[in-house]
Amino acid sequence: AFDEAENEFVYFTGASWTGEPGGSGAVSAHGAATTFHVLEADHTLSAGATNDTSFVIPDRAIVFGVTGRVLTSITGATSWSLGIAADASRYGSGIGLADGSTVVGPSGPVTYWTDTPLRLTAAGSDFTGGVVRFAIHYALLTGPTA
């Protein structure tokens, strides 16, 4: 069922209604679930060659991709890449700087085993400013209840 007041899908465990905010998916009779999520957040760039986001890909998330839109023009760099510390361009490279520039970075799925920030990497010169809105598209697995 969908709980409009809480803006979430809920399911009955046999004892009570429960849900996962922002998630939708399949749930077994004993509470095992595969839920799909989109974590959306803005990142304000600070000066430097790289920026890690304060929000993270959640521990054990199965990520399908990351999308984004430049809200305030990025300054300093001539382009940029989006990824994580271990793979700086996993979600895109040569990305535009102007307001409205977008990135659509499908990735797999890829499983992350710890909370992992996104990393923006400047090309040409260091970042001096800008704001980007990101959406991380992922699934979570939940085991059955006792």
Side-chain angles (χ1 to χ4, degrees):
F2 185 75
D3 181 343
E4 286 184 359
E6 296 298 321
N7 192 34
E8 68 180 350
F9 286 94
V10 295
Y11 59 93
F12 191 68
T13 66
S16 65
W17 287 94
T18 188
E20 181 117 15
S24 63
V27 180
S28 75
H30 297 285
T34 303
T35 54
F36 297 93
H37 307 265
V38 178
L39 170 64
E40 189 173 272
D42 295 350
H43 177 72
T44 300
L45 288 151
S46 57
T50 63
N51 271 229
D52 287 349
T53 58
S54 59
F55 55 91
V56 296
I57 298 168
D59 175 37
R60 299 182 188 195
I62 302 165
V63 177
F64 299 100
V66 176
T67 57
R69 176 177 300 278
V70 176
L71 299 179
T72 303
S73 292
I74 295 172
T75 55
T78 57
S79 70
W80 57 285
S81 297
L82 177 63
I84 60 169
D87 184 354
S89 61
R90 174 169 287 169
Y91 298 109
S93 62
I95 304 167
L97 307 170
D99 291 5
S101 295
T102 60
V103 57
V104 177
S107 66
V110 175
T111 302
Y112 290 86
W113 297 100
T114 61
D115 289 345
T116 305
L118 297 175
R119 174 166 286 178
L120 292 75
T121 303
S125 188
D126 288 355
F127 294 119
T128 58
V131 178
V132 184
R133 175 167 293 148
F134 292 107
I136 302 168
H137 306 260
Y138 66 98
L140 292 176
L141 307 178
T142 306
T145 58

